Amino acid sequence: MHSESDRLRAEVRVSGIVQGVGFRPFIYRTAIKHKLLGSVQNRGDAYVEIIVEGKKDSIKQFMQDLKERKPPLARIDHVTVNYTDDKMEFEKFTIIDSSKVAELSGSVIPPDVSICNQCLTEMQDPLNRRHDYFFITCTDCGPRYTIIERLPYDRQNTTMKEFQMCDFCKTEYQKPANRRFHAQTVACPKCGPKTYLATNNGHRVESEDPIREAGKLLVEGNVLAVKGYGGFHVATATTIDEPIIRLRKVKHRSEKPFAIMARNLETVRTFADVSETEAQLLTSFIKPIVLLRKRSGYYLCDQVAPGLYNIGVMLPYTGLHFMLFDGVREPAFVMTSANPPDEPIVTGNEEAVQKLGNEVDYFLFHERQIAQRCDDSVVRVQGKKVSMIRRSRGYAPAPIRLKWRARDCVLGVGGELNTTSCVLLKDKAFVSQHIGDVENLETLRFLRSATEHILQLTNSKVDVVACDLHPRFTTTKYAHDMANELGCSVSPIQHHHAHAAALATEHGLNKVIAIVCDGYGYGVDGQSWGGEIINYEAGEGSKRLAHLEEQPLVGGDLATRFPLRMAAGILSKTVNVEDLLHSNAKRFPYGEEEVALVLQQLRKGSIPKTTSCGRVLDAVSAVLGICYERTYEGEPAMKLESAAIGGKDVLELEPVVNGAVLETTPLVHEIFHSKDLYSIHDLAFSAQHYLAVGLAQIAVDEAHRLGVSTIGFSGGVAYNEQITQTMKEVVEKDRLRFVVHESMPAGDGGLSFGQAAAVASWHSGAPDDD
Ligand SMILES: [Zn+2]
Ligand SMILES: [Zn+2]
Ligand SMILES: [Zn+2]
């Protein structure tokens, strides 16, 4: 007999992502393990209610397991517990069926998750029924977002609907104690989707073991398109040049780095440095692409990520990926998103043959359709902090929790490059997967469907549409179309103000001085901006406090593509650039003819100007001979950053500040004149140092003047580790707080969130805390 005092009853409410993620079966198993009686059930707005009765110690252990051993897909935001005396209400522990109403809540949609260890072990066990079954999953793992067509999350509403469960799978599906209880993706070799190989014109190739056959074809030098969860990858070996070079040629991607998928963590360590945080990310259930530093003994082909000090690496995240590596010795495969130029990632089997047939030798197909396309996510680690570069598979569309509550539902549609969309509703922001550069019909269509899908899943009614200030962006036009359809208004937000709003909102800040550096954004004055210091106040809007010196864009967009034009424009202010240009004539597509044109433009003046930080970095990159042509976004600056590794500040230039302007002309001139005196590493480092210190000092002065305690750094340049680190040191030396993005990308993937947050904060008042 128990004395009364060692028994208890606990009524627990858990909110977060706790529905449709195997949370109830987990609670059931945990309660049984600790010999507790009671019940668990899904409740309305995304919370789960648990009642347990039993021994005090057992309840304590249950609570501990609840927090520490929760299913990987679950996210616990909040737990409340009410303890009372044991009421002896139950005879066993049961899962109470949820009502449809409860499952309609938008926040239940979890992102895709990589194969779990238990499923992997089963897949590799020859005695298991699902041995070698490439799409083995359970409630803890597998695709979610990419297969859901509508809510509630039942098999009938997913692309698994075509595959009728066999009796074996059905039994597991119905048993509460089973790992596959209500796992909508449950399948086996008998009833689930199958794989097959095809030639590049779509003809089926007979094979007993198509996946391992595909692995062999890769090491033999073939290029394959491999269908995954959210779209196709184009794959090659990583230790032979020929297929990569061939792929670069057909894709017209001469330099852009390819992400790779490595066999396992030990293999990654043979060619890249991996910190503890990076190892955790690589092996996490999200399995993003992590940017890692190449090791000194790096032995993969240079062609994978030419001219860069780092490489994007991920680990296998489906059974299919693991099987690709079986029976071959390749350390890693190139695994790049399969998308035709300027189009989103390919998802349909027929579409793949049509659009990728000329790039690849073979296809590895599977039979399941993809409901939502979703690219791999890309992250990097700075210090111990994760910084998001592309927030997509594994993250989207899990909401970001705000520290305040919005009155209106605001839709942000993003900018032009690396776009996402964002539905901000109450205290949650649902940011879409990566959409891409919305410059044509294909990507606009994708933006539209992804946005409508999120609106449908969250069951929301938009009050305001927020967009960029640029009058001619495709997304701006889309915002107006949406607003017309929905009968609501449009609020344009300036590009850098949106970056600042994203940063402030992510950290729940009322006020922040944001340094925002990137390539291009349409300014309030209609000029090209990109090196800005913004004073952001939630609920008030924002103001430009200072910026980089305006520099000429010689030839407009051509100056972005050929950074030597940028350099010539800056240098021509004090030196005669004729020699420089003539001696570099071969760097221009039209040689001497083009040089003559550039010189003529310089003499004439009236050239459009920009305050872009990216363009200054580009100019330095060209002056140092690091990069003369930008073949992908950010290339000259990224290669400059790579060149600066291991360098030091040899120029010791004092930042020249003129009013509210940090001058960049003296910097580019110093670099030009010191070219033969120091190493490229040191000069690249010095240039980045000058910009970081100069901007941070202005921000510090402004923060003191305005009584703001936090300085932040946003925009694409914030991916630059050295610049970020230097700014942090300057700011913290002055006892101010320094923040960067953590859950949203610093680049334009975070714009939609910033646009929505800026608009929602006007309508809702500022958060209480500073
Ligand atoms: Zn699993
Ligand atoms: Zn089955
Ligand atoms: Zn930007």
Side-chain angles (χ1 to χ4, degrees):
M1 284 294 284
H2 303 287
S3 75
E4 251 188 38
S5 61
D6 60 341
R7 286 186 70 85
L8 266 183
R9 171 187 169 105
E11 295 173 12
V12 191
R13 271 184 176 206
V14 187
S15 64
I17 300 180
V18 287
Q19 297 184 7
V21 291
F23 198 73
R24 287 176 307 155
F26 156 73
I27 292 298
Y28 177 90
R29 290 193 300 275
T30 311
I32 299 291
K33 180 174 127 195
H34 295 298
K35 300 194 171 61
L36 298 173
L37 309 174
S39 66
V40 56
Q41 102 183 92
N42 279 347
R43 288 289 198 169
D45 187 21
Y47 74 90
V48 164
E49 186 178 81
I50 307 160
I51 303 174
V52 280
E53 292 182 346
K55 278 195 192 169
K56 232 185 209 171
D57 281 354
S58 308
I59 290 185
K60 209 173 132 194
Q61 279 162 14
F62 171 85
M63 288 307 295
Q64 203 168 337
D65 281 0
L66 169 82
K67 286 171 195 163
E68 290 168 8
R69 295 171 183 247
K70 66 178 170 61
L73 285 185
R75 190 178 94 187
I76 296 180
D77 288 337
H78 202 64
V79 182
T80 57
V81 198
N82 185 24
Y83 292 103
T84 57
D85 290 340
D86 187 358
K87 291 184 186 162
M88 309 263 191
E89 191 187 321
F90 304 95
E91 283 171 3
K92 55 180 186 175
F93 194 91
T94 49
I95 297 177
I96 301 174
D97 265 348
S98 53
S99 67
K100 289 265 192 267
V101 182
E103 303 215 352
L104 264 171
S105 167
S107 52
V108 306
I109 301 304
D112 285 12
V113 166
S114 68
I115 183 170
C116 73
N117 285 333
Q118 287 189 66
C119 285
L120 184 60
T121 309
E122 285 185 10
M123 186 187 89
Q124 291 167 342
D125 173 7
L127 299 176
N128 192 282
R129 181 180 174 107
R130 295 192 181 84
H131 177 234
D132 272 1
Y133 187 57
F134 72 102
F135 265 0
I136 184 171
T137 56
C138 67
T139 43
D140 288 348
C141 73
R144 295 290 185 276
Y145 186 52
T146 54
I147 59 163
I148 296 175
E149 289 172 327
R150 66 192 73 83
L151 283 174
Y153 176 48
D154 283 332
R155 188 148 168 139
Q156 275 317 305
N157 292 334
T158 71
T159 53
M160 283 301 287
K161 64 175 181 280
E162 290 163 47
F163 308 94
Q164 185 104 46
M165 267 182 250
C166 68
D167 289 344
F168 174 79
C169 288
K170 201 170 218 159
T171 316
E172 292 195 329
Y173 180 84
Q174 288 167 340
K175 253 197 212 141
N178 194 281
R179 286 198 299 125
R180 297 195 171 87
F181 174 68
H182 281 197
Q184 308 299 350
T185 52
V186 66
C188 72
K190 192 174 159 196
C191 66
K194 294 172 180 53
T195 55
Y196 59 97
L197 270 174
T199 58
N200 64 352
N201 49 18
H203 291 301
R204 223 177 163 111
V205 179
E206 283 316 316
S207 168
E208 290 274 291
D209 195 351
I211 302 174
R212 293 193 180 89
E213 184 75 37
K216 280 193 198 112
L217 287 168
L218 285 171
V219 295
E220 283 164 12
N222 292 288
V223 179
L224 270 79
V226 178
K227 190 176 184 181
Y229 279 171
F232 281 81
H233 284 116
V234 174
T236 69
T238 50
T239 55
I240 21 177
D241 278 325
E242 189 275 329
I244 309 177
I245 292 170
R246 191 149 55 90
L247 181 62
R248 289 205 174 280
K249 222 175 237 162
V250 291
K251 275 184 88 93
H252 304 288
R253 268 174 69 162
S254 57
E255 295 280 310
K256 191 172 180 179
F258 289 133
I260 63 172
M261 180 179 279
R263 176 184 292 276
N264 52 34
L265 186 60
E266 296 82 83
T267 311
V268 179
R269 292 189 199 278
T270 63
F271 57 78
D273 292 328
V274 187
S275 72
E276 206 177 303
T277 314
E278 287 162 342
Q280 276 167 12
L281 270 166
L282 282 167
T283 55
S284 71
F285 62 84
I286 293 172
K287 302 250 162 51
I289 295 169
V290 184
L291 286 190
L292 300 173
R293 272 185 196 220
K294 293 174 180 169
R295 269 189 61 153
S296 51
Y298 180 81
Y299 59 90
L300 306 180
C301 295
D302 270 341
Q303 279 298 317
V304 176
L308 298 176
Y309 75 107
N310 52 17
I311 180 167
V313 185
M314 63 182 149
L315 290 177
Y317 57 87
T318 70
L320 185 148
H321 296 147
F322 278 96
M323 286 169 70
L324 271 184
F325 284 99
D326 277 355
V328 295
R329 297 179 64 159
E330 196 68 4
F333 293 125
V334 162
M335 276 283 191
T336 180
S337 289
N339 55 310
D342 306 322
E343 286 189 32
I345 187 169
V346 172
T347 55
N349 290 6
E350 275 171 37
E351 182 198 3
V353 173
Q354 237 178 55
K355 293 187 169 168
L356 306 170
N358 70 330
E359 287 181 16
V360 305
D361 303 308
Y362 294 94
F363 288 95
L364 178 61
F365 289 121
H366 63 69
E367 295 171 331
R368 187 171 63 209
Q369 289 190 23
I370 294 169
Q372 280 296 310
R373 60 160 66 84
C374 198
D375 287 81
D376 295 313
S377 293
V378 186
V379 301
R380 80 187 288 177
V381 176
Q382 298 195 345
K384 280 196 169 170
K385 287 201 170 145
V386 179
S387 95
M388 197 72 63
I389 296 176
R390 185 203 281 162
R391 186 180 180 277
S392 205
R393 175 184 55 77
Y395 296 100
I400 307 219
R401 284 298 280 266
L402 309 184
K403 298 205 167 80
W404 43 278
R405 219 175 157 79
R407 223 168 36 213
D408 292 334
C409 171
V410 186
L411 166 67
V413 297
E416 185 164 58
L417 304 179
N418 290 312
T419 304
T420 57
S421 66
C422 169
V423 176
L424 194 147
L425 181 68
K426 294 175 189 155
D427 61 346
K428 297 191 187 88
F430 297 86
V431 182
S432 77
Q433 69 270 46
H434 166 77
I435 305 290
D437 302 346
V438 183
E439 293 169 319
N440 58 29
L441 209 60
E442 292 288 332
T443 36
L444 177 63
R445 229 178 253 149
F446 180 23
L447 175 68
R448 191 179 268 275
S449 74
T451 306
E452 281 165 9
H453 190 57
I454 291 184
L455 286 172
Q456 182 214 342
L457 294 180
T458 53
N459 211 0
S460 33
K461 201 189 147 294
V462 176
D463 297 304
V464 190
V465 183
C467 64
D468 196 80
L469 189 61
H470 198 299
R472 285 184 310 278
F473 273 178
T474 309
T475 51
T476 305
K477 183 168 184 313
Y478 168 57
H480 285 275
D481 291 349
M482 269 306 262
N484 273 340
E485 263 170 50
L486 299 165
C488 65
S489 59
V490 176
S491 270
I493 302 289
Q494 197 278 328
H495 188 104
H496 304 94
H497 293 186
H499 276 304
L503 188 59
T505 310
E506 196 186 298
H507 290 279
L509 295 166
N510 220 342
K511 293 178 183 172
V512 69
I513 305 283
I515 304 167
V516 186
C517 292
D518 57 12
Y520 169 75
Y522 184 87
V524 170
D525 54 5
Q527 298 290 306
S528 161
W529 290 12
E532 314 301 314
I533 296 179
I534 307 281
N535 179 24
Y536 178 80
E537 273 189 65
E540 297 290 328
S542 47
K543 197 172 161 261
R544 184 194 209 191
L545 298 172
H547 53 84
L548 291 182
E549 181 184 352
E550 290 184 336
Q551 296 292 6
L553 276 161
V554 185
D557 283 347
L558 281 175
T560 303
R561 174 124 177 251
F562 300 101
L564 212 45
R565 283 172 170 263
M566 206 61 222
I570 299 174
L571 290 171
S572 68
K573 293 180 181 181
T574 56
V575 296
N576 186 345
V577 291
E578 281 193 34
D579 286 349
L580 170 76
L581 288 173
H582 286 304
S583 63
N584 279 300
K586 63 176 189 299
R587 313 282 180 198
F588 292 95
Y590 299 98
E592 282 294 349
E593 217 175 302
E594 195 170 344
V595 167
L597 211 67
V598 170
L599 289 169
Q600 196 190 341
Q601 280 168 333
L602 285 172
R603 272 192 296 270
K604 258 189 18 207
S606 77
I607 299 168
K609 302 228 164 38
T610 182
T611 58
S612 166
C613 184
R615 294 298 85 79
V616 175
L617 294 167
D618 290 359
V620 173
S621 191
V623 170
L624 291 176
I626 294 166
C627 183
Y628 294 109
E629 183 183 351
R630 176 176 110 146
T631 65
Y632 59 89
E633 202 207 335
E635 179 178 355
M638 279 163 70
K639 289 188 169 167
L640 181 73
E641 182 189 7
S642 290
I645 300 288
K648 55 185 182 300
D649 181 25
V650 287
L651 294 183
E652 294 178 0
L653 263 184
E654 263 309 304
V656 183
V657 181
N658 194 347
V661 175
L662 174 65
E663 294 192 357
T664 48
T665 305
L667 167 69
V668 180
H669 281 241
E670 261 319 295
I671 296 284
F672 179 71
H673 291 300
S674 312
K675 237 170 40 164
D676 301 325
L677 302 176
Y678 305 102
S679 76
I680 284 182
H681 301 296
D682 289 342
L683 289 173
F685 187 98
S686 304
Q688 297 186 152
H689 186 80
Y690 175 90
L691 291 167
V693 171
L695 287 163
Q697 269 174 8
I698 298 177
V700 165
D701 292 345
E702 289 292 335
H704 288 312
R705 185 174 70 86
L706 297 164
V708 180
S709 57
T710 309
I711 290 172
F713 185 29
S714 183
V717 179
Y719 295 131
N720 184 305
E721 226 174 309
Q722 184 206 325
I723 295 182
T724 305
Q725 189 53 34
T726 306
M727 281 184 180
K728 183 175 177 341
E729 282 160 21
V730 173
V731 170
E732 288 179 351
K733 211 171 96 194
D734 237 82
R735 293 168 197 276
L736 293 165
R737 183 175 167 215
F738 183 75
V739 294
V740 289
H741 291 277
E742 284 166 28
S743 45
M744 286 306 296
D748 290 358
L751 271 187
S752 62
F753 172 67
Q755 293 167 347
V759 172
S761 80
W762 301 334
H763 295 243
S764 308
D768 299 329
D769 51 340
D770 186 359

